Amino acid sequence: MLPQLLAYLLQIIKTQYQIIVYLMGVIVGKSLNRKDLDEPVQKPYRKLQVDDLPIIDVPETLDYRKLLADYEAQHGRPLRPIQRRAKAKHRVPDSLTCPRCQAPSSYLYANNGGNGQYQCKVCQCRFNHRNRFTKQAVFRCPHCKKTLEKIKERKEYHIYKCKNNDCPFYQANLRRMTKKERQQFQQDPQAFKVRYLFREFLFDFLPLASSSPIQPKVDLSRLAASPHVLGLVLTYYVNFGMSSRETAAAMKDIHGVSISHQTVLNYANSAALWIKPFVDRFPYELSGSFCGDETYIRVKGRWHYLFFMFDAVKKIVLSYRVSPKRDTLSAIQAIDDVLRKLPSLPDDLSFVVDGNPIYRLAQHFFAQHGISFDVRQVIGLTNEDPVSEEFRPLKQIIERFNRTFKGNYRPTHGFGAEEGSVSFVTLFVAYFNFLRPHSALEGRVPVVIPELADLPHMPARWTKLIAMAQAFLQQEAA
C-alpha cells in the first residue's frame, strides 16, 4: 500500500512540475525544460565578420573671428559682409552658418542658383546639408581610400559600406568565389558579404559609469553587531563560498551568533557599497598584459553575463561587469574600466580575448575617439592560427580565474536581484585583489597593503579593508 501511495505522490509532483514549466513558458513567451532552468544556454557567436578599422578623417574646424582678424591684419582693412541685391531670387536663411568656421549668414553666398549649395566668404568652404564638415568624422575604406557611404541606421549604430566596384577588398572576395557561389551571388547578392563594412556606434563615451550596489538596508556605521561578527560573515560568505543560509547556520553553530540569511545578504550589500569605490579607483601597479572573458551568472532566474578584465601578470581583476546581454556595449564598458586605471596609454597596449566579435567592434568604437589598441583573439580549443598559439597561455589564465569565481559563486544558486549579484561580485573581487594569497605570486596577495598583511586573521582583514574604504571615500569627499 505504501509503495503505491509514494508512486501516486511522485506522479502528482511530476504533473505539478510540468504545469509550472508550462506557466513559466507562457509568461516568458517560450517553452522551458529542466535543462533551461539548470544550465546556461551555450549560444554560439553571431556569424558576424568584423573588417579592419577604416581610415578616420577628422575635418579641420576653424574660427571665423580669428580668420577675420587675420584678414584685417594682412590687408589693412576688414572683410566686409556680402552686399545682397534687393531683388535676389535665392536668399540665404538667416539661421544658416558655415559648418567649417561658424561664420554667420551675412558672409554666405547662395553658390549654385538655389540648388542647395552655399559658399563661405571667410574660409571659402562650399557646403550643403550633406557636406563633410557637418560630420564629426569621415570614414574611408582602408583598401581603396574611398569615402564610405551610410547604408543603414540602427538604434545603437550606423552601418557604412564601401560601394567602389574597383575596391581591392571587393575584387578579392569576388575572385575567391567558386563557380557555384558566383551563380548564387548573381541571383541573391545579399547572401554574401563581399564589400567592406564598418559600424559606427552611437554610445556616449563619457557616461560609461560602472554599476553600483543600491543603498543598503543596513548601515554599517550603525551596526549593532561587533565588527568581528561582520568580518566572520564576509569570511564565510565570500572566502569560503558558502551560501547565505549556510553562513547563518555556521554563525549560529560555531560562534553562537543568531542571524538570519537575509541579514547576511544585507551585511554583504552594505559592505560592497563601501568597498566598490575603493576597488575601482585604487592606484594599481599594472603590467600591461591584459586578458578578458565572459562567464555566466544567474540573476532573477535568468542567465546574465559577467565580463572580467584581468592583469595576467599581477593577477589583479580590473573590470567585473554584470550584464543581461553579451553585446558590444558591455565589451566597451569592460575595456573602459581598464583604460581608466592606466596612468597613460602605452603604444603596445593589447587585450587577449576569445573569438567573440564584440571585442573587435569595441576596438573600432575606441578608435573613433582616438584611443588605439590591439585585440588578440584566441579562437577555439586548438591552436589553428599563429595568434591563438602565441596568446593562448594568457587566455588560459582568465579561464582559470573564471573557475575560481565559479567555485565561490555556485553555492549561492543565483541572485534574486541585480544589486545582489553586483554586491557579491564586488566582494569577491575585493577578496581576490587584496586578501587572497596566490600560488603564482609565491603565496602573496596580488595587491599588498601592509595594514592588512600585519593582521592576524581574515575577519580582522575584512573589517580593516572596510575601514580603509570608508576613509578613502571621506578623503575623496574632502
Side-chain angles (χ1 to χ4, degrees), residues 400-420:
R400 179 66 184 88
F401 169 77
N402 282 343
R403 291 197 298 271
T404 301
F405 169 77
K406 282 298 185 68
N408 287 54
Y409 152 76
R410 192 171 290 110
T412 65
H413 304 292
F415 303 94
E418 292 185 5
E419 57 268 17

Side-chain angles (χ1 to χ4, degrees), residues 367-380:
Q368 293 173 220
H369 296 276
I371 300 176
S372 301
F373 53 82
D374 291 329
V375 172
R376 315 288 188 181
Q377 292 188 299
V378 179
I379 301 174

